[in-house]
Amino acid sequence: MNSRIPPTPLPSLSIQSTQCLRARIRRRHVAERRFRFYGFSAMVLTLAVLVLVFSFILSKSYTAFQENVLSLRIAIDSAMIDSKGNPLTADYRELIQKAVAGLFPAVTDRHDRHLLFSLISEGAPYALRALVTRQRQQAKRDGNIIVDVLLSDEADQFLKGHITAHVSEKERKIKDLQVTWLKELQARGLIHSRFNITLFTAGDSREPELAGILGAVTGSFYLVIVTLGLSFPVGVASAVYLEEFAPRNRLTDMIEVNINNLAAVPSVVFGLLGLAVFLNGLSFPRSAPLVGGFVLSLLILPTIILAARAALKAVPLSIREAALGIGASKMQSILHHVLPLAMPGIMTGTILGLAHALGESAPLLMIGMVAFVVDTPVTLLDPATVLPVQIYLWADSPERAFLEKTAAAIVVLLGFLIAMNTIAIMVRIKFERRW
Amino acid sequence: MSLSSKKDAQRVSLGDSLLVETACAKLAARNVNVFYGEKHAIKDVTLDINCNEVTALIGPSGCGKSTFLRCLNRMNDTIDTCRVTGTITLDGENIYASKVDSVYLRTRVGMVFQKPNPFPKSIFENVAYGPRIHGLTSSRSELESVVLTSLERAGLLEEVRDRLHASGISLSGGQQQRLCIARAIAVSPEVILMDEPCSALDPIATAKIEELIDELQHNFTIVIVTHSMQQAARVSQRTAFFHLGELVECGGTEQIFTNPVNRLTQGYITGRFG
Amino acid sequence: MHVLTLLAVLLCISLLGFRISQSRALSLARTAGLHSLPYHHGQFASLAILLPGLGVILLWSLLEAPLALWLALDHLPVPPNLADGEVRLLIAEISNIAAGYGGRQDPALLAAAWHYRELRQTSFTLAASVAVSVSLGGLVFAWRRVTPSHQARNSVERVLKIFMILCSALAVLTTAGIILSLLFEAFRFFVHVPFTAFLFGLEWSPQKALPAEQIGAVFGAVPLFTGTLLIASIAMLVATPLGLLTAIYTAEYAAPHIRTVAKPLLEILAGIPTVVYGFFAALMVAPALRDTGAMFGISISSESALAAGVVMGIMIIPFVSSLADDIMSAVPQSLREGSLGLGATQSETIRRVVLPAALPGIIGGILLAASRAIGETMIVVMAAGLSAHLTANPFAAVTTVTVQIVTLLVGDQEFDSPKTLAAFALGLVLFVVTLALNFVALQVVRKYREQYE
């Protein structure tokens, strides 16, 4: 084959000289660097926004973890406490007001005194009563008791610097007179700042300084439990059936298409479904974690099914064949061998689904969990709210003090989510096998 | 790299059927070592590739012939863990020198891959891709003539002349590989590297490609990796035998196959291993 | 006795049945060869006890409350042509009184409430006894079925399989439930407001008090559709370039260690709850935009579509980028090598070979992201406006379909009024649109994947 007349040579294609070619290649390299830079800066910009969001929230939240209190010495008349040591009903509000008035004897004008008393939180009398009940023997002996009362939200915000005296008096909630008093009390060392226990031990309240996230956190906890209990068995059972048993026919295809589509339905629509079917159709109690759990289970069911199917698919055929080979039935081979091996992947998917459910708020608004719920729910049927909805409600409130509380609640929520995601990743790293 | 013209082969044609070419090393490899991370894949290879010749690289699977081939156009740069030492020169210039632009290198050294990989574009667009990005033509009609000529050189034009705008993927395996050859020819390289070009093809398509290689060798320097000794015997003038990353023996094809010097070569040729 | 106690009783019976059947099977095993293991017989017994018992309880809990109310209502001297709403009010009053919350001191009402409570007690006792006897029957039935030839394991596995099939059917049931409930309530709405007036009407002010015949005029949803489209478009304008470019960098250029760090970080953006984005939009982005606009003399509303759209776009970036990344990674390496072998730079390879090859999949991803943008709720509830304006101005305040759904339902409206039913009509439109988008997108992505796998 090497003895043929050589064909005519290829016409020279480089009409441009090699120098032109080289120059063009240089330009192309510049374009390459530019393109790569665009991609890199897009990524950096996106991550910068992430950092921005986090730092914004953190910056708004850190003051919420402190609360300002005023130390008052309240005179306790021994007649208020009976011989057995039980405090008789007394007007604790009056006691507090007397003590406060005692700090500023010069204030006599009625309107001014009203301003003075409004520096103290509305919840102070209840705190005083609780303290007197706890320490009644000592109070009876001493004839007085020292109590730390919360300041009102405006005073609290002023001391934290969120309301400044630079703004004209008409445009702020705290008046010049009150500013003077607060500064005076600070100078006397009667005001100090302590860790904000109220935020973590109280339920919701109209008064910002008394509002806490305990009710919302408990509600979220119950909700996650109900969602887990409903969606995990159903999701795993569906996945096992679809992956292992279902014949490849039109019906199975339809189920699969359905699951994929459900995964992309907006969450409000699930709220509408819950409203129409669970609340109106089946008369479930409104605002209960049970209903919320039902709705959110349906919401995250596709996620769990898809994750479980992927985990089951990853288990190699050899395991199933080995089990069948020693005489196990198909169900046994799956329950005893395949499912345990797929469990890490299934758990990772479930934890991620639950993290998603924990942050959901839109469908819960429709089923009533947006009501003003003060008490911490005790059973699954009590009205409750959840942390994301609490955040939404507080964000909507006009009082300045709710801003930092909302940010703090967001920090708590993000903390839970980071914890859950970390657990999911740890499960995946530690237990998942690569076949 | 130097401003040498693209065609500097010293060819002597005797006007008759015989063709004699004076050997000139188009590519020269000296003490080439290739590492994939810790793995020492190519060990101290020294080899010459002559112009307008077909050089075959043979050896059992895993012996490093594809790895070596990919060094010749710096395709190994795309693999992060790959490290190449030694020198490989194209017309006397080291292609691994730091100022060498691999984009320019690949206009002079083209490649055809094992599994045909036409772009999911039309046949015309596939062949026009190279000339377009390098700006080799200045008008549409010029581009068309380049495409048609390349398709003709690759022996594909007759079969696809009336459907140049059909998708390249719609062709048969053999046709796709010829399309890839046409695509490589379209930028007028000086060397064409072929990495087991027929291994995914049926015998008829293989025969067509071998015929094509035979025609192309007159205008291009061809290096072909093949696992088929018969193919190497058919198409090449020089053969290099690789074994476990080392160049065991290199010489004229006839000599290698009839009278190998090295015992390993003999073992491979006679089918004792590989 | 409480429902929980009843359930506990059933559980005890089933445990008892398990033990009894298992021990009988064990004793039989010594003399004859069994098909199934003793604990399979035990499982069979438990199922034979629990399933009928639970079935009775489920049936009772679904039917008894409305039934009892119905019967109590019969007791009342109710005038026959009372409006539907007033009957419901009566029912609510009766159940409130019966639950101890007190109500009107009408003797007839009180008598009805008493009657209702008694009915419920008796029905519960009835149901409890039926459930227990059925369970005990199951116990006996299972015990008698413990024979060497009984294929207990097969029966148990069959029950398990039926359970699995029912669970899988739940997905279809949910979709059906969504469609049916939306359609049902939406039709009740379209009785009040004609379909065309809803879909094509230009004024949306449900708060206006109008007589019943004219109410169709204020339920025109076009401003809602335009508002939704405006905000979603802004979001896609932000998310598509940023998401695609990020994906190109992480898929094609980034070194492996950068990729392993960057991808999880981008996933974090997707995992942030939407309330947090809403807070960020309402309290940082919107005021910043308004102040910036004021600096340049442009009046930007504090509830502008731009603020909501930009933050929504940020939320969507990870969707676009992670899907685009997966899709580009699915393009075979051989195509890239073919292009590089011809002397193309990496950016040329990406722009001329990889992206065109990946285009169908990327378009599918963009459609999915758009569907997400249209259905997003919390960001717009917190950052966008409440009143409907028909405008294309991104600086103006607009409202969207999802905001109106929430606003209409989170109020004190009674369930039947056109206002609350309008929410369902809006929900129906939203569901249909997102379903269509998702369906097309998933088909496109699936066909693209089949090409390469």
Side-chain angles (χ1 to χ4, degrees), chain A residues 384-402:
Chain A
T385 187
V386 291
L387 202 48
V389 173
Q390 184 74 86
I391 292 171
Y392 163 66
L393 289 173
W394 282 354
D396 235 11
S397 304
E399 286 95 345
R400 185 79 180 64
F402 272 123

mmCIF file with all atom_site columns, all heavy atoms in Angstrom, chain A residues 384-402:
data_model
loop_
_atom_site.group_PDB
_atom_site.id
_atom_site.type_symbol
_atom_site.label_atom_id
_atom_site.label_alt_id
_atom_site.label_comp_id
_atom_site.label_asym_id
_atom_site.label_entity_id
_atom_site.label_seq_id
_atom_site.pdbx_PDB_ins_code
_atom_site.Cartn_x
_atom_site.Cartn_y
_atom_site.Cartn_z
_atom_site.occupancy
_atom_site.B_iso_or_equiv
_atom_site.pdbx_formal_charge
_atom_site.auth_seq_id
_atom_site.auth_comp_id
_atom_site.auth_asym_id
_atom_site.auth_atom_id
_atom_site.pdbx_PDB_model_num
ATOM 1   N N   . ALA A 1 384 ? -50.694 25.750 68.777 1.00 0.00 ? 384 ALA A N   1
ATOM 2   C CA  . ALA A 1 384 ? -49.280 26.063 68.926 1.00 0.00 ? 384 ALA A CA  1
ATOM 3   C C   . ALA A 1 384 ? -48.836 26.909 67.759 1.00 0.00 ? 384 ALA A C   1
ATOM 4   O O   . ALA A 1 384 ? -49.552 27.066 66.775 1.00 0.00 ? 384 ALA A O   1
ATOM 5   C CB  . ALA A 1 384 ? -48.461 24.777 68.963 1.00 0.00 ? 384 ALA A CB  1
ATOM 6   N N   . THR A 1 385 ? -47.659 27.459 67.894 1.00 0.00 ? 385 THR A N   1
ATOM 7   C CA  . THR A 1 385 ? -47.048 28.093 66.751 1.00 0.00 ? 385 THR A CA  1
ATOM 8   C C   . THR A 1 385 ? -45.651 27.512 66.605 1.00 0.00 ? 385 THR A C   1
ATOM 9   O O   . THR A 1 385 ? -45.187 26.779 67.477 1.00 0.00 ? 385 THR A O   1
ATOM 10  C CB  . THR A 1 385 ? -47.015 29.627 66.912 1.00 0.00 ? 385 THR A CB  1
ATOM 11  O OG1 . THR A 1 385 ? -46.562 30.191 65.685 1.00 0.00 ? 385 THR A OG1 1
ATOM 12  C CG2 . THR A 1 385 ? -46.065 30.040 68.011 1.00 0.00 ? 385 THR A CG2 1
ATOM 13  N N   . VAL A 1 386 ? -45.029 27.801 65.492 1.00 0.00 ? 386 VAL A N   1
ATOM 14  C CA  . VAL A 1 386 ? -43.690 27.280 65.263 1.00 0.00 ? 386 VAL A CA  1
ATOM 15  C C   . VAL A 1 386 ? -42.730 28.441 65.080 1.00 0.00 ? 386 VAL A C   1
ATOM 16  O O   . VAL A 1 386 ? -43.141 29.578 64.815 1.00 0.00 ? 386 VAL A O   1
ATOM 17  C CB  . VAL A 1 386 ? -43.616 26.352 64.038 1.00 0.00 ? 386 VAL A CB  1
ATOM 18  C CG1 . VAL A 1 386 ? -44.348 25.068 64.295 1.00 0.00 ? 386 VAL A CG1 1
ATOM 19  C CG2 . VAL A 1 386 ? -44.137 27.058 62.824 1.00 0.00 ? 386 VAL A CG2 1
ATOM 20  N N   . LEU A 1 387 ? -41.462 28.131 65.178 1.00 0.00 ? 387 LEU A N   1
ATOM 21  C CA  . LEU A 1 387 ? -40.450 29.179 65.179 1.00 0.00 ? 387 LEU A CA  1
ATOM 22  C C   . LEU A 1 387 ? -40.471 30.054 63.922 1.00 0.00 ? 387 LEU A C   1
ATOM 23  O O   . LEU A 1 387 ? -40.448 31.285 64.043 1.00 0.00 ? 387 LEU A O   1
ATOM 24  C CB  . LEU A 1 387 ? -39.076 28.545 65.377 1.00 0.00 ? 387 LEU A CB  1
ATOM 25  C CG  . LEU A 1 387 ? -37.967 29.427 65.916 1.00 0.00 ? 387 LEU A CG  1
ATOM 26  C CD1 . LEU A 1 387 ? -38.410 30.217 67.112 1.00 0.00 ? 387 LEU A CD1 1
ATOM 27  C CD2 . LEU A 1 387 ? -36.762 28.570 66.276 1.00 0.00 ? 387 LEU A CD2 1
ATOM 28  N N   . PRO A 1 388 ? -40.555 29.489 62.712 1.00 0.00 ? 388 PRO A N   1
ATOM 29  C CA  . PRO A 1 388 ? -40.580 30.370 61.534 1.00 0.00 ? 388 PRO A CA  1
ATOM 30  C C   . PRO A 1 388 ? -41.789 31.302 61.536 1.00 0.00 ? 388 PRO A C   1
ATOM 31  O O   . PRO A 1 388 ? -41.694 32.464 61.136 1.00 0.00 ? 388 PRO A O   1
ATOM 32  C CB  . PRO A 1 388 ? -40.636 29.415 60.347 1.00 0.00 ? 388 PRO A CB  1
ATOM 33  C CG  . PRO A 1 388 ? -40.256 28.102 60.866 1.00 0.00 ? 388 PRO A CG  1
ATOM 34  C CD  . PRO A 1 388 ? -40.565 28.078 62.312 1.00 0.00 ? 388 PRO A CD  1
ATOM 35  N N   . VAL A 1 389 ? -42.949 30.779 61.988 1.00 0.00 ? 389 VAL A N   1
ATOM 36  C CA  . VAL A 1 389 ? -44.133 31.633 62.005 1.00 0.00 ? 389 VAL A CA  1
ATOM 37  C C   . VAL A 1 389 ? -43.982 32.716 63.067 1.00 0.00 ? 389 VAL A C   1
ATOM 38  O O   . VAL A 1 389 ? -44.386 33.863 62.868 1.00 0.00 ? 389 VAL A O   1
ATOM 39  C CB  . VAL A 1 389 ? -45.398 30.779 62.276 1.00 0.00 ? 389 VAL A CB  1
ATOM 40  C CG1 . VAL A 1 389 ? -46.601 31.652 62.457 1.00 0.00 ? 389 VAL A CG1 1
ATOM 41  C CG2 . VAL A 1 389 ? -45.609 29.821 61.131 1.00 0.00 ? 389 VAL A CG2 1
ATOM 42  N N   . GLN A 1 390 ? -43.358 32.354 64.189 1.00 0.00 ? 390 GLN A N   1
ATOM 43  C CA  . GLN A 1 390 ? -43.124 33.345 65.238 1.00 0.00 ? 390 GLN A CA  1
ATOM 44  C C   . GLN A 1 390 ? -42.245 34.460 64.703 1.00 0.00 ? 390 GLN A C   1
ATOM 45  O O   . GLN A 1 390 ? -42.480 35.638 64.972 1.00 0.00 ? 390 GLN A O   1
ATOM 46  C CB  . GLN A 1 390 ? -42.427 32.652 66.422 1.00 0.00 ? 390 GLN A CB  1
ATOM 47  C CG  . GLN A 1 390 ? -42.219 33.531 67.610 1.00 0.00 ? 390 GLN A CG  1
ATOM 48  C CD  . GLN A 1 390 ? -43.501 33.781 68.342 1.00 0.00 ? 390 GLN A CD  1
ATOM 49  O OE1 . GLN A 1 390 ? -43.925 33.014 69.192 1.00 0.00 ? 390 GLN A OE1 1
ATOM 50  N NE2 . GLN A 1 390 ? -44.137 34.878 68.014 1.00 0.00 ? 390 GLN A NE2 1
ATOM 51  N N   . ILE A 1 391 ? -41.245 34.063 63.929 1.00 0.00 ? 391 ILE A N   1
ATOM 52  C CA  . ILE A 1 391 ? -40.361 35.057 63.312 1.00 0.00 ? 391 ILE A CA  1
ATOM 53  C C   . ILE A 1 391 ? -41.173 35.976 62.414 1.00 0.00 ? 391 ILE A C   1
ATOM 54  O O   . ILE A 1 391 ? -41.024 37.205 62.438 1.00 0.00 ? 391 ILE A O   1
ATOM 55  C CB  . ILE A 1 391 ? -39.245 34.358 62.517 1.00 0.00 ? 391 ILE A CB  1
ATOM 56  C CG1 . ILE A 1 391 ? -38.304 33.647 63.498 1.00 0.00 ? 391 ILE A CG1 1
ATOM 57  C CG2 . ILE A 1 391 ? -38.480 35.329 61.660 1.00 0.00 ? 391 ILE A CG2 1
ATOM 58  C CD1 . ILE A 1 391 ? -37.303 32.751 62.801 1.00 0.00 ? 391 ILE A CD1 1
ATOM 59  N N   . TYR A 1 392 ? -42.061 35.389 61.617 1.00 0.00 ? 392 TYR A N   1
ATOM 60  C CA  . TYR A 1 392 ? -42.876 36.191 60.713 1.00 0.00 ? 392 TYR A CA  1
ATOM 61  C C   . TYR A 1 392 ? -43.750 37.170 61.506 1.00 0.00 ? 392 TYR A C   1
ATOM 62  O O   . TYR A 1 392 ? -43.861 38.352 61.171 1.00 0.00 ? 392 TYR A O   1
ATOM 63  C CB  . TYR A 1 392 ? -43.746 35.250 59.865 1.00 0.00 ? 392 TYR A CB  1
ATOM 64  C CG  . TYR A 1 392 ? -44.899 35.913 59.182 1.00 0.00 ? 392 TYR A CG  1
ATOM 65  C CD1 . TYR A 1 392 ? -44.688 36.849 58.178 1.00 0.00 ? 392 TYR A CD1 1
ATOM 66  C CD2 . TYR A 1 392 ? -46.207 35.611 59.531 1.00 0.00 ? 392 TYR A CD2 1
ATOM 67  C CE1 . TYR A 1 392 ? -45.741 37.472 57.554 1.00 0.00 ? 392 TYR A CE1 1
ATOM 68  C CE2 . TYR A 1 392 ? -47.274 36.229 58.903 1.00 0.00 ? 392 TYR A CE2 1
ATOM 69  C CZ  . TYR A 1 392 ? -47.027 37.154 57.917 1.00 0.00 ? 392 TYR A CZ  1
ATOM 70  O OH  . TYR A 1 392 ? -48.075 37.760 57.303 1.00 0.00 ? 392 TYR A OH  1
ATOM 71  N N   . LEU A 1 393 ? -44.370 36.685 62.578 1.00 0.00 ? 393 LEU A N   1
ATOM 72  C CA  . LEU A 1 393 ? -45.244 37.554 63.361 1.00 0.00 ? 393 LEU A CA  1
ATOM 73  C C   . LEU A 1 393 ? -44.476 38.688 64.005 1.00 0.00 ? 393 LEU A C   1
ATOM 74  O O   . LEU A 1 393 ? -44.914 39.832 64.009 1.00 0.00 ? 393 LEU A O   1
ATOM 75  C CB  . LEU A 1 393 ? -45.950 36.729 64.448 1.00 0.00 ? 393 LEU A CB  1
ATOM 76  C CG  . LEU A 1 393 ? -47.009 35.766 63.940 1.00 0.00 ? 393 LEU A CG  1
ATOM 77  C CD1 . LEU A 1 393 ? -47.495 34.895 65.085 1.00 0.00 ? 393 LEU A CD1 1
ATOM 78  C CD2 . LEU A 1 393 ? -48.153 36.521 63.326 1.00 0.00 ? 393 LEU A CD2 1
ATOM 79  N N   . TRP A 1 394 ? -43.331 38.366 64.574 1.00 0.00 ? 394 TRP A N   1
ATOM 80  C CA  . TRP A 1 394 ? -42.543 39.402 65.204 1.00 0.00 ? 394 TRP A CA  1
ATOM 81  C C   . TRP A 1 394 ? -42.012 40.396 64.188 1.00 0.00 ? 394 TRP A C   1
ATOM 82  O O   . TRP A 1 394 ? -41.903 41.589 64.461 1.00 0.00 ? 394 TRP A O   1
ATOM 83  C CB  . TRP A 1 394 ? -41.376 38.785 65.988 1.00 0.00 ? 394 TRP A CB  1
ATOM 84  C CG  . TRP A 1 394 ? -41.794 38.225 67.304 1.00 0.00 ? 394 TRP A CG  1
ATOM 85  C CD1 . TRP A 1 394 ? -43.018 38.320 67.890 1.00 0.00 ? 394 TRP A CD1 1
ATOM 86  C CD2 . TRP A 1 394 ? -40.977 37.489 68.189 1.00 0.00 ? 394 TRP A CD2 1
ATOM 87  N NE1 . TRP A 1 394 ? -43.024 37.679 69.099 1.00 0.00 ? 394 TRP A NE1 1
ATOM 88  C CE2 . TRP A 1 394 ? -41.768 37.161 69.299 1.00 0.00 ? 394 TRP A CE2 1
ATOM 89  C CE3 . TRP A 1 394 ? -39.644 37.079 68.169 1.00 0.00 ? 394 TRP A CE3 1
ATOM 90  C CZ2 . TRP A 1 394 ? -41.275 36.440 70.376 1.00 0.00 ? 394 TRP A CZ2 1
ATOM 91  C CZ3 . TRP A 1 394 ? -39.164 36.365 69.233 1.00 0.00 ? 394 TRP A CZ3 1
ATOM 92  C CH2 . TRP A 1 394 ? -39.978 36.054 70.328 1.00 0.00 ? 394 TRP A CH2 1
ATOM 93  N N   . ALA A 1 395 ? -41.643 39.902 63.005 1.00 0.00 ? 395 ALA A N   1
ATOM 94  C CA  . ALA A 1 395 ? -41.114 40.811 61.976 1.00 0.00 ? 395 ALA A CA  1
ATOM 95  C C   . ALA A 1 395 ? -42.181 41.809 61.555 1.00 0.00 ? 395 ALA A C   1
ATOM 96  O O   . ALA A 1 395 ? -41.888 42.919 61.146 1.00 0.00 ? 395 ALA A O   1
ATOM 97  C CB  . ALA A 1 395 ? -40.635 40.013 60.776 1.00 0.00 ? 395 ALA A CB  1
ATOM 98  N N   . ASP A 1 396 ? -43.440 41.380 61.696 1.00 0.00 ? 396 ASP A N   1
ATOM 99  C CA  . ASP A 1 396 ? -44.540 42.245 61.302 1.00 0.00 ? 396 ASP A CA  1
ATOM 100 C C   . ASP A 1 396 ? -44.885 43.281 62.364 1.00 0.00 ? 396 ASP A C   1
ATOM 101 O O   . ASP A 1 396 ? -45.606 44.231 62.101 1.00 0.00 ? 396 ASP A O   1
ATOM 102 C CB  . ASP A 1 396 ? -45.775 41.360 61.053 1.00 0.00 ? 396 ASP A CB  1
ATOM 103 C CG  . ASP A 1 396 ? -46.335 41.585 59.683 1.00 0.00 ? 396 ASP A CG  1
ATOM 104 O OD1 . ASP A 1 396 ? -45.647 42.249 58.874 1.00 0.00 ? 396 ASP A OD1 1
ATOM 105 O OD2 . ASP A 1 396 ? -47.445 41.123 59.450 1.00 0.00 ? 396 ASP A OD2 1
ATOM 106 N N   . SER A 1 397 ? -44.398 43.052 63.602 1.00 0.00 ? 397 SER A N   1
ATOM 107 C CA  . SER A 1 397 ? -44.845 43.918 64.691 1.00 0.00 ? 397 SER A CA  1
ATOM 108 C C   . SER A 1 397 ? -44.190 45.279 64.622 1.00 0.00 ? 397 SER A C   1
ATOM 109 O O   . SER A 1 397 ? -43.031 45.402 64.253 1.00 0.00 ? 397 SER A O   1
ATOM 110 C CB  . SER A 1 397 ? -44.500 43.270 66.034 1.00 0.00 ? 397 SER A CB  1
ATOM 111 O OG  . SER A 1 397 ? -45.051 41.994 66.101 1.00 0.00 ? 397 SER A OG  1
ATOM 112 N N   . PRO A 1 398 ? -44.924 46.302 65.029 1.00 0.00 ? 398 PRO A N   1
ATOM 113 C CA  . PRO A 1 398 ? -44.388 47.659 64.900 1.00 0.00 ? 398 PRO A CA  1
ATOM 114 C C   . PRO A 1 398 ? -43.332 48.026 65.932 1.00 0.00 ? 398 PRO A C   1
ATOM 115 O O   . PRO A 1 398 ? -42.479 48.859 65.649 1.00 0.00 ? 398 PRO A O   1
ATOM 116 C CB  . PRO A 1 398 ? -45.623 48.549 65.049 1.00 0.00 ? 398 PRO A CB  1
ATOM 117 C CG  . PRO A 1 398 ? -46.581 47.727 65.834 1.00 0.00 ? 398 PRO A CG  1
ATOM 118 C CD  . PRO A 1 398 ? -46.322 46.302 65.485 1.00 0.00 ? 398 PRO A CD  1
ATOM 119 N N   . GLU A 1 399 ? -43.364 47.393 67.122 1.00 0.00 ? 399 GLU A N   1
ATOM 120 C CA  . GLU A 1 399 ? -42.437 47.845 68.164 1.00 0.00 ? 399 GLU A CA  1
ATOM 121 C C   . GLU A 1 399 ? -40.992 47.616 67.756 1.00 0.00 ? 399 GLU A C   1
ATOM 122 O O   . GLU A 1 399 ? -40.633 46.594 67.214 1.00 0.00 ? 399 GLU A O   1
ATOM 123 C CB  . GLU A 1 399 ? -42.702 47.094 69.489 1.00 0.00 ? 399 GLU A CB  1
ATOM 124 C CG  . GLU A 1 399 ? -43.948 47.540 70.213 1.00 0.00 ? 399 GLU A CG  1
ATOM 125 C CD  . GLU A 1 399 ? -45.135 46.664 69.870 1.00 0.00 ? 399 GLU A CD  1
ATOM 126 O OE1 . GLU A 1 399 ? -45.019 45.926 68.881 1.00 0.00 ? 399 GLU A OE1 1
ATOM 127 O OE2 . GLU A 1 399 ? -46.141 46.714 70.564 1.00 0.00 ? 399 GLU A OE2 1
ATOM 128 N N   . ARG A 1 400 ? -40.182 48.617 68.053 1.00 0.00 ? 400 ARG A N   1
ATOM 129 C CA  . ARG A 1 400 ? -38.765 48.586 67.703 1.00 0.00 ? 400 ARG A CA  1
ATOM 130 C C   . ARG A 1 400 ? -38.070 47.391 68.329 1.00 0.00 ? 400 ARG A C   1
ATOM 131 O O   . ARG A 1 400 ? -37.180 46.782 67.746 1.00 0.00 ? 400 ARG A O   1
ATOM 132 C CB  . ARG A 1 400 ? -38.144 49.896 68.191 1.00 0.00 ? 400 ARG A CB  1
ATOM 133 C CG  . ARG A 1 400 ? -36.708 50.114 67.836 1.00 0.00 ? 400 ARG A CG  1
ATOM 134 C CD  . ARG A 1 400 ? -36.574 50.578 66.404 1.00 0.00 ? 400 ARG A CD  1
ATOM 135 N NE  . ARG A 1 400 ? -35.188 50.808 66.032 1.00 0.00 ? 400 ARG A NE  1
ATOM 136 C CZ  . ARG A 1 400 ? -34.259 49.869 65.979 1.00 0.00 ? 400 ARG A CZ  1
ATOM 137 N NH1 . ARG A 1 400 ? -34.556 48.664 66.353 1.00 0.00 ? 400 ARG A NH1 1
ATOM 138 N NH2 . ARG A 1 400 ? -33.026 50.157 65.608 1.00 0.00 ? 400 ARG A NH2 1
ATOM 139 N N   . ALA A 1 401 ? -38.501 47.046 69.550 1.00 0.00 ? 401 ALA A N   1
ATOM 140 C CA  . ALA A 1 401 ? -37.783 46.011 70.292 1.00 0.00 ? 401 ALA A CA  1
ATOM 141 C C   . ALA A 1 401 ? -37.923 44.649 69.652 1.00 0.00 ? 401 ALA A C   1
ATOM 142 O O   . ALA A 1 401 ? -37.097 43.766 69.860 1.00 0.00 ? 401 ALA A O   1
ATOM 143 C CB  . ALA A 1 401 ? -38.288 45.959 71.730 1.00 0.00 ? 401 ALA A CB  1
ATOM 144 N N   . PHE A 1 402 ? -38.985 44.459 68.838 1.00 0.00 ? 402 PHE A N   1
ATOM 145 C CA  . PHE A 1 402 ? -39.159 43.138 68.249 1.00 0.00 ? 402 PHE A CA  1
ATOM 146 C C   . PHE A 1 402 ? -38.129 42.851 67.175 1.00 0.00 ? 402 PHE A C   1
ATOM 147 O O   . PHE A 1 402 ? -37.912 41.707 66.810 1.00 0.00 ? 402 PHE A O   1
ATOM 148 C CB  . PHE A 1 402 ? -40.565 42.993 67.664 1.00 0.00 ? 402 PHE A CB  1
ATOM 149 C CG  . PHE A 1 402 ? -41.584 42.495 68.657 1.00 0.00 ? 402 PHE A CG  1
ATOM 150 C CD1 . PHE A 1 402 ? -42.717 43.205 68.935 1.00 0.00 ? 402 PHE A CD1 1
ATOM 151 C CD2 . PHE A 1 402 ? -41.364 41.296 69.328 1.00 0.00 ? 402 PHE A CD2 1
ATOM 152 C CE1 . PHE A 1 402 ? -43.635 42.753 69.845 1.00 0.00 ? 402 PHE A CE1 1
ATOM 153 C CE2 . PHE A 1 402 ? -42.274 40.824 70.248 1.00 0.00 ? 402 PHE A CE2 1
ATOM 154 C CZ  . PHE A 1 402 ? -43.420 41.560 70.515 1.00 0.00 ? 402 PHE A CZ  1
#
